[in-house]
Amino acid sequence: MKFSIEREDQYTILAVDEEKLDSTLSPQVKSELVTLQNEGVANVILNLEKVKYIDSSGLSALLVGNRIFTETGSFVLCGVSEHVMKLIKISQLDKVLDILPTVEESVDTVFMNALKRGLEEEGGLEE
């Protein structure tokens, strides 16, 4: 699988450089996400700009990332193509996943989520 990782202090961007996120690639994506979590990364932005097709196993990889990172940080998707977004909506995962158009907006969301978590931990923000 072709991908790139950009590590910053507060977040890591994992960019999938493949056109298909299907059963041949999704185990590698899941593995990379688990590795990032084990390394102590709290916030992941998954850049899907190059992905044009996703199947159920690819959607499963997105859910794995969402589950393991939203417990302690943020998991944000960005650069989602129209076709991939259609499949996410059909699966009703758009109600579960944090999806933004650009990397920049995703980074802003990561920082906002961190601020919100900090306030909640201090007891200063009621739900």
Side-chain angles (χ1 to χ4, degrees), residues 82 94 113 116:
E82 191 176 320
D94 58 319
N113 288 344
K116 182 180 175 188

Side-chain angles (χ1 to χ4, degrees), residues 1-2 24 29-30 61 69 80 90 100 104 108 110 127:
M1 174 180 83
K2 290 186 265 175
T24 58
V29 172
K30 288 178 187 178
F69 288 105
V80 178
I90 288 170
L100 293 163
E104 293 78 16
D108 289 345
V110 166
E127 297 245 352

Side-chain angles (χ1 to χ4, degrees), residues 77-96:
L77 302 179
C78 68
V80 178
S81 73
E82 191 176 320
H83 180 72
V84 171
M85 190 62 178
K86 208 177 283 187
L87 292 171
I88 288 172
K89 285 183 177 181
I90 288 170
S91 305
Q92 296 187 345
L93 296 179
D94 58 319
K95 295 171 177 49
V96 177

